Amino acid sequence: MKIITILSGKGGTGKTTLSSNLSVLLSKNKKIVVADCDSDAPNLGLALGIEEKDFTGIQKVQTNEKAIFDEDKCDGCKKCFKICNFGAIKWDDKKNRPIFDSLLCEGCGTCQLVCPKKAISLVKVNNGKIGFAKTNYGFNLYSGQLNIGSTGSGKIVSLIKEKAEKFAAKENIELMLVDSAAGVGCPVIASIQGSDFIVAVTEPTPSALYDLKRALRTVEHFRIPYGIIINKWDLNKGFSKKIESFAQRLKIPILGKISYDIKFVESLVNMKPVVEINLKYKEIFNKIIERINK
Ligand code: SF4
Ligand code: SF4
């Protein structure tokens, strides 16, 4: 199975819009599965007409641990309180005991290491969920999200991909499309690992180009071939030229340039990818697919 990942570096460049349109067109000629790995803002489903209630096979996931303590074993030495770097341990002067704040605890385990009474342990907590939904276009979308304030977005991305890959192996799926998280952190690394091709989406602004370059350094580390799409290129034609020169210099293929068009906003409002309602964009996105397949 071939894996194509859509990545952007900076958020808000139109990555999800591109993922929804490419997935709909790719599904016309291939058996595909889609993994929405933007677990902090998983809204590819909405762009494809899927609401939260449509997801099934929901599983709780545990991506990190939290410290708890046994009051009877504790002798009030304060070592844990002094060592926690995350402000997750307050001190109860009346009881002379620590108070653990599970929202702030990062599960680093330092307090457990320093506790002379072995009163602290780390427990796994349910802090997110993953599931899948069948889209109106015939393919399955796997998605997941962490509870607010939870850490472990890299792990949840790996779990979403794992689920989608298992399904793909069972159903002889030919292609998996991954909508990566934004940024360059753990969830992005987890998103691009194992990919055969990366579609890097950018827009003509200095911040988008800066973030794109950072994201591409990660891609290059994994030696995955990639190409660039300039979204909303006509909003700043001068800067789009700069992106094109940068790509030319480094021999990076430009897979396509997409104009700013209110139709994309309308398509998001109507939860229907623009290639389903507009022939011009169907052709533009089909050309992008041709270039990806070259
Ligand atoms: S596990 Fe780490 S973050 Fe959590 S309370 Fe202990 S020292 Fe603080
Ligand atoms: S380090 Fe252990 S014994 Fe000391 S205050 Fe914390 S929990 Fe109690």
Side-chain angles (χ1 to χ4, degrees), residues 114-152:
V114 300
C115 177
K117 296 290 175 188
K118 300 212 178 315
I120 300 173
S121 40
L122 292 178
V123 289
K124 286 196 185 303
V125 285
N126 290 330
N127 62 344
K129 57 184 180 181
I130 55 177
F132 69 92
K134 183 132 189 143
T135 66
N136 292 331
Y137 310 98
F139 59 84
N140 273 12
L141 169 73
Y142 283 78
S143 185
Q145 68 186 107
L146 285 175
N147 297 345
I148 291 167
S150 284
T151 53

Short mmCIF file of all heavy atoms in Angstrom, two decimals, residues 114-152:
data_model
loop_
_atom_site.label_atom_id
_atom_site.label_comp_id
_atom_site.label_asym_id
_atom_site.label_seq_id
_atom_site.Cartn_x
_atom_site.Cartn_y
_atom_site.Cartn_z
N VAL A 114 12.26 9.97 43.36
CA VAL A 114 12.86 10.55 44.57
C VAL A 114 12.15 10.14 45.86
O VAL A 114 12.67 10.35 46.95
CB VAL A 114 12.92 12.11 44.51
CG1 VAL A 114 13.75 12.58 43.34
CG2 VAL A 114 11.53 12.71 44.48
N CYS A 115 10.98 9.56 45.74
CA CYS A 115 10.20 9.25 46.95
C CYS A 115 10.87 8.12 47.76
O CYS A 115 10.97 6.99 47.28
CB CYS A 115 8.78 8.85 46.58
SG CYS A 115 7.81 8.38 48.02
N PRO A 116 11.33 8.41 48.96
CA PRO A 116 12.05 7.38 49.73
C PRO A 116 11.12 6.30 50.29
O PRO A 116 11.58 5.23 50.66
CB PRO A 116 12.68 8.17 50.89
CG PRO A 116 11.87 9.41 51.02
CD PRO A 116 11.27 9.70 49.69
N LYS A 117 9.84 6.59 50.32
CA LYS A 117 8.88 5.64 50.92
C LYS A 117 8.12 4.82 49.87
O LYS A 117 7.18 4.10 50.20
CB LYS A 117 7.85 6.41 51.77
CG LYS A 117 8.46 7.11 52.97
CD LYS A 117 8.90 6.07 53.98
CE LYS A 117 9.62 6.71 55.14
NZ LYS A 117 10.21 5.72 56.03
N LYS A 118 8.50 4.96 48.62
CA LYS A 118 7.80 4.28 47.51
C LYS A 118 6.29 4.49 47.61
O LYS A 118 5.48 3.56 47.43
CB LYS A 118 8.14 2.78 47.49
CG LYS A 118 9.62 2.50 47.33
CD LYS A 118 9.87 1.21 46.58
CE LYS A 118 11.34 0.91 46.34
NZ LYS A 118 12.16 2.00 45.89
N ALA A 119 5.93 5.73 47.90
CA ALA A 119 4.51 6.05 48.08
C ALA A 119 3.85 6.51 46.77
O ALA A 119 2.64 6.64 46.71
CB ALA A 119 4.37 7.15 49.13
N ILE A 120 4.70 6.76 45.74
CA ILE A 120 4.15 7.31 44.48
C ILE A 120 4.19 6.26 43.38
O ILE A 120 5.17 5.54 43.21
CB ILE A 120 4.97 8.56 44.05
CG1 ILE A 120 4.89 9.62 45.16
CG2 ILE A 120 4.45 9.12 42.73
CD1 ILE A 120 5.79 10.82 44.92
N SER A 121 3.11 6.19 42.64
CA SER A 121 3.13 5.33 41.46
C SER A 121 2.52 6.08 40.28
O SER A 121 1.81 7.09 40.46
CB SER A 121 2.38 4.02 41.71
OG SER A 121 1.23 4.27 42.45
N LEU A 122 2.82 5.59 39.08
CA LEU A 122 2.27 6.20 37.87
C LEU A 122 1.18 5.29 37.33
O LEU A 122 1.38 4.08 37.21
CB LEU A 122 3.36 6.37 36.81
CG LEU A 122 4.46 7.39 37.12
CD1 LEU A 122 5.49 7.41 36.01
CD2 LEU A 122 3.88 8.79 37.29
N VAL A 123 0.03 5.88 37.01
CA VAL A 123 -1.06 5.06 36.47
C VAL A 123 -1.45 5.59 35.08
O VAL A 123 -1.41 6.80 34.84
CB VAL A 123 -2.31 5.06 37.39
CG1 VAL A 123 -2.05 4.28 38.66
CG2 VAL A 123 -2.76 6.47 37.70
N LYS A 124 -1.80 4.66 34.20
CA LYS A 124 -2.26 5.06 32.87
C LYS A 124 -3.66 5.65 32.99
O LYS A 124 -4.46 5.17 33.81
CB LYS A 124 -2.31 3.84 31.95
CG LYS A 124 -0.93 3.36 31.53
CD LYS A 124 -1.07 2.44 30.33
CE LYS A 124 0.25 1.82 29.91
NZ LYS A 124 1.30 2.77 29.60
N VAL A 125 -3.95 6.68 32.21
CA VAL A 125 -5.29 7.28 32.27
C VAL A 125 -5.90 7.34 30.86
O VAL A 125 -5.18 7.51 29.88
CB VAL A 125 -5.24 8.72 32.85
CG1 VAL A 125 -5.02 8.71 34.34
CG2 VAL A 125 -4.18 9.57 32.14
N ASN A 126 -7.21 7.15 30.81
CA ASN A 126 -7.90 7.33 29.53
C ASN A 126 -7.92 8.82 29.23
O ASN A 126 -8.50 9.60 29.99
CB ASN A 126 -9.34 6.83 29.62
CG ASN A 126 -9.41 5.32 29.72
OD1 ASN A 126 -8.55 4.61 29.20
ND2 ASN A 126 -10.42 4.82 30.40
N ASN A 127 -7.26 9.23 28.15
CA ASN A 127 -7.21 10.67 27.88
C ASN A 127 -7.50 11.02 26.43
O ASN A 127 -7.16 12.10 25.96
CB ASN A 127 -5.86 11.26 28.31
CG ASN A 127 -4.72 10.64 27.54
OD1 ASN A 127 -4.88 9.61 26.91
ND2 ASN A 127 -3.57 11.29 27.55
N GLY A 128 -8.10 10.09 25.72
CA GLY A 128 -8.45 10.39 24.34
C GLY A 128 -9.27 9.26 23.75
O GLY A 128 -9.56 8.27 24.43
N LYS A 129 -9.64 9.42 22.50
CA LYS A 129 -10.41 8.36 21.83
C LYS A 129 -10.09 8.33 20.35
O LYS A 129 -9.70 9.35 19.76
CB LYS A 129 -11.91 8.58 22.05
CG LYS A 129 -12.40 9.91 21.57
CD LYS A 129 -13.86 10.12 21.90
CE LYS A 129 -14.29 11.50 21.39
NZ LYS A 129 -15.64 11.85 21.63
N ILE A 130 -10.23 7.14 19.75
CA ILE A 130 -10.09 7.04 18.30
C ILE A 130 -11.29 6.25 17.76
O ILE A 130 -11.92 5.48 18.49
CB ILE A 130 -8.77 6.38 17.86
CG1 ILE A 130 -8.59 4.99 18.50
CG2 ILE A 130 -7.59 7.22 18.19
CD1 ILE A 130 -7.32 4.31 18.01
N GLY A 131 -11.61 6.48 16.51
CA GLY A 131 -12.75 5.79 15.90
C GLY A 131 -12.69 5.96 14.39
O GLY A 131 -11.74 6.53 13.86
N PHE A 132 -13.70 5.45 13.72
CA PHE A 132 -13.73 5.61 12.26
C PHE A 132 -15.17 5.85 11.78
O PHE A 132 -16.12 5.57 12.51
CB PHE A 132 -13.14 4.38 11.55
CG PHE A 132 -14.00 3.15 11.67
CD1 PHE A 132 -14.94 2.84 10.69
CD2 PHE A 132 -13.87 2.31 12.75
CE1 PHE A 132 -15.73 1.71 10.79
CE2 PHE A 132 -14.68 1.17 12.88
CZ PHE A 132 -15.60 0.87 11.88
N ALA A 133 -15.27 6.38 10.57
CA ALA A 133 -16.58 6.60 9.97
C ALA A 133 -16.49 6.31 8.49
O ALA A 133 -15.44 6.50 7.87
CB ALA A 133 -17.01 8.05 10.18
N LYS A 134 -17.60 5.82 7.93
CA LYS A 134 -17.64 5.60 6.48
C LYS A 134 -18.12 6.89 5.84
O LYS A 134 -19.17 7.42 6.21
CB LYS A 134 -18.60 4.45 6.17
CG LYS A 134 -18.65 4.10 4.72
CD LYS A 134 -18.53 2.60 4.56
CE LYS A 134 -18.35 2.27 3.10
NZ LYS A 134 -17.46 1.19 2.87
N THR A 135 -17.36 7.40 4.89
CA THR A 135 -17.76 8.66 4.25
C THR A 135 -18.78 8.38 3.14
O THR A 135 -18.94 7.24 2.70
CB THR A 135 -16.54 9.37 3.61
OG1 THR A 135 -16.06 8.54 2.54
CG2 THR A 135 -15.43 9.59 4.63
N ASN A 136 -19.42 9.43 2.66
CA ASN A 136 -20.37 9.30 1.54
C ASN A 136 -19.66 8.94 0.25
O ASN A 136 -20.29 8.68 -0.76
CB ASN A 136 -21.11 10.62 1.32
CG ASN A 136 -22.03 10.91 2.47
OD1 ASN A 136 -22.53 10.00 3.13
ND2 ASN A 136 -22.23 12.19 2.75
N TYR A 137 -18.33 8.97 0.28
CA TYR A 137 -17.56 8.70 -0.94
C TYR A 137 -17.04 7.26 -0.96
O TYR A 137 -16.21 6.89 -1.79
CB TYR A 137 -16.42 9.72 -1.06
CG TYR A 137 -16.95 11.12 -0.89
CD1 TYR A 137 -16.86 11.78 0.35
CD2 TYR A 137 -17.64 11.74 -1.92
CE1 TYR A 137 -17.42 13.03 0.53
CE2 TYR A 137 -18.20 13.00 -1.75
CZ TYR A 137 -18.09 13.64 -0.52
OH TYR A 137 -18.66 14.87 -0.34
N GLY A 138 -17.45 6.47 0.02
CA GLY A 138 -17.16 5.03 0.00
C GLY A 138 -15.92 4.62 0.76
O GLY A 138 -15.67 3.43 0.93
N PHE A 139 -15.11 5.57 1.22
CA PHE A 139 -13.89 5.16 1.95
C PHE A 139 -14.05 5.45 3.44
O PHE A 139 -14.87 6.28 3.84
CB PHE A 139 -12.65 5.85 1.38
CG PHE A 139 -12.69 7.35 1.40
CD1 PHE A 139 -12.32 8.07 2.53
CD2 PHE A 139 -13.10 8.07 0.27
CE1 PHE A 139 -12.35 9.45 2.54
CE2 PHE A 139 -13.14 9.46 0.28
CZ PHE A 139 -12.77 10.14 1.42
N ASN A 140 -13.25 4.75 4.22
CA ASN A 140 -13.28 4.95 5.68
C ASN A 140 -12.31 6.04 6.10
O ASN A 140 -11.20 6.15 5.57
CB ASN A 140 -12.87 3.65 6.39
CG ASN A 140 -14.07 2.74 6.61
OD1 ASN A 140 -15.14 2.97 6.05
ND2 ASN A 140 -13.89 1.71 7.42
N LEU A 141 -12.76 6.81 7.09
CA LEU A 141 -11.91 7.85 7.68
C LEU A 141 -11.64 7.47 9.13
O LEU A 141 -12.58 7.25 9.90
CB LEU A 141 -12.63 9.20 7.64
CG LEU A 141 -12.00 10.33 8.45
CD1 LEU A 141 -10.72 10.83 7.77
CD2 LEU A 141 -12.97 11.50 8.61
N TYR A 142 -10.35 7.36 9.47
CA TYR A 142 -9.96 7.09 10.87
C TYR A 142 -9.53 8.42 11.50
O TYR A 142 -8.84 9.22 10.87
CB TYR A 142 -8.82 6.07 10.92
CG TYR A 142 -9.34 4.67 10.68
CD1 TYR A 142 -9.64 4.25 9.39
CD2 TYR A 142 -9.60 3.81 11.74
CE1 TYR A 142 -10.16 2.98 9.16
CE2 TYR A 142 -10.12 2.54 11.52
CZ TYR A 142 -10.40 2.14 10.24
OH TYR A 142 -10.93 0.90 10.03
N SER A 143 -9.96 8.62 12.73
CA SER A 143 -9.66 9.89 13.38
C SER A 143 -9.56 9.68 14.89
O SER A 143 -9.91 8.61 15.40
CB SER A 143 -10.78 10.89 13.06
OG SER A 143 -10.49 12.15 13.58
N GLY A 144 -9.08 10.68 15.58
CA GLY A 144 -8.98 10.57 17.03
C GLY A 144 -8.69 11.92 17.65
O GLY A 144 -8.29 12.86 16.95
N GLN A 145 -8.93 12.03 18.93
CA GLN A 145 -8.57 13.27 19.60
C GLN A 145 -8.25 13.04 21.06
O GLN A 145 -8.77 12.11 21.68
CB GLN A 145 -9.64 14.34 19.42
CG GLN A 145 -10.95 14.08 20.10
CD GLN A 145 -11.95 15.15 19.70
OE1 GLN A 145 -12.87 14.88 18.93
NE2 GLN A 145 -11.79 16.35 20.18
N LEU A 146 -7.40 13.92 21.56
CA LEU A 146 -7.01 13.87 22.97
C LEU A 146 -7.94 14.76 23.77
O LEU A 146 -8.46 15.75 23.24
CB LEU A 146 -5.59 14.38 23.14
CG LEU A 146 -4.46 13.46 22.69
CD1 LEU A 146 -3.13 14.18 22.84
CD2 LEU A 146 -4.44 12.19 23.53
N ASN A 147 -8.13 14.43 25.05
CA ASN A 147 -8.88 15.32 25.92
C ASN A 147 -8.12 16.64 26.04
O ASN A 147 -6.88 16.66 25.92
CB ASN A 147 -9.05 14.72 27.31
CG ASN A 147 -9.86 13.43 27.26
OD1 ASN A 147 -10.52 13.15 26.26
ND2 ASN A 147 -9.81 12.67 28.32
N ILE A 148 -8.85 17.72 26.30
CA ILE A 148 -8.21 19.04 26.41
C ILE A 148 -7.15 19.00 27.52
O ILE A 148 -7.39 18.47 28.61
CB ILE A 148 -9.28 20.11 26.71
CG1 ILE A 148 -10.16 20.28 25.47
CG2 ILE A 148 -8.65 21.45 27.10
CD1 ILE A 148 -11.41 21.06 25.70
N GLY A 149 -5.97 19.51 27.20
CA GLY A 149 -4.89 19.58 28.18
C GLY A 149 -4.06 18.31 28.27
O GLY A 149 -3.08 18.26 29.01
N SER A 150 -4.43 17.27 27.50
CA SER A 150 -3.67 16.01 27.57
C SER A 150 -2.44 16.05 26.69
O SER A 150 -2.43 16.71 25.66
CB SER A 150 -4.56 14.84 27.12
OG SER A 150 -5.46 14.53 28.13
N THR A 151 -1.44 15.30 27.10
CA THR A 151 -0.24 15.20 26.27
C THR A 151 -0.25 13.82 25.59
O THR A 151 -1.00 12.93 25.97
CB THR A 151 1.03 15.33 27.11
OG1 THR A 151 0.95 14.39 28.18
CG2 THR A 151 1.19 16.71 27.67
N GLY A 152 0.61 13.67 24.60
CA GLY A 152 0.74 12.37 23.93
C GLY A 152 0.16 12.38 22.53
O GLY A 152 -0.31 11.36 22.03
#
